[in-house]
Amino acid sequence: MKEKKVIIVKSRMIPRGYCMNIFGTIWTRDKSWIDRDVINHERIHTAQQRELLFIPFYILYVAEWLIRLLKHHSWQKAYRNISFEREAYTHGHNLDYLKNRKPYSFLKYL
Ligand SMILES: [Zn+2]
């Protein structure tokens, strides 16, 4: 299977050192740190978004972040514990992960 190119958009709205996946495109302030692992991490988010038909993904993402924020009292810790992020951080370094990933795998990280 040939890998599709990922579109990276430069934006000053994104805080330094972060990127955001908006409907499968990667938005970042500075492209220099975007390596293969980061792109793979974002591809995992794109797969999650497709499964949830995009808009519900963002709603669930923010809802889970808020619930985890109540538990952890740290926005960074809450972010890292969102099920979508746990799946993407666990497998971001495995460039073959998406070839064998089962649909809705983020549910394992709830
Ligand atoms: Zn992520």
Side-chain angles (χ1 to χ4, degrees):
M1 193 172 79
K2 204 173 168 249
E3 274 190 5
K4 270 173 68 181
K5 269 217 163 194
V6 173
I7 297 165
I8 303 173
V9 180
K10 222 173 146 182
S11 170
R12 285 170 177 251
M13 292 189 307
I14 311 297
R16 206 170 290 282
Y18 286 87
C19 64
M20 207 175 155
N21 184 326
I22 302 174
F23 302 110
T25 59
I26 301 173
W27 290 59
T28 184
R29 179 180 287 248
D30 171 22
K31 292 183 184 184
S32 66
W33 65 282
I34 306 290
D35 59 14
R36 290 187 70 174
D37 286 6
V38 174
I39 289 171
N40 198 45
H41 176 108
E42 295 306 326
R43 280 188 205 274
I44 294 167
H45 284 321
T46 302
Q48 297 164 341
Q49 291 175 10
R50 284 207 188 102
E51 286 160 0
L52 293 168
L53 308 175
F54 293 95
I55 300 296
F57 168 87
Y58 294 102
I59 294 166
L60 289 171
Y61 187 103
V62 172
E64 193 180 345
W65 182 72
L66 289 172
I67 290 164
R68 297 207 183 268
L69 189 60
L70 289 174
K71 186 184 170 194
H72 295 292
H73 304 283
S74 151
W75 71 265
Q76 182 73 22
K77 222 173 172 183
Y79 155 75
R80 284 298 291 248
N81 279 284
I82 295 170
S83 55
F84 302 118
E85 292 301 343
R86 288 179 60 205
E87 182 190 9
Y89 277 109
T90 301
H91 302 286
H93 60 279
N94 177 2
L95 300 177
D96 290 326
Y97 176 67
L98 282 171
K99 289 177 189 162
N100 307 306
R101 177 184 179 267
K102 294 203 169 59
Y104 303 98
S105 289
F106 55 86
L107 292 172
K108 284 185 250 168
Y109 299 89
L110 269 175

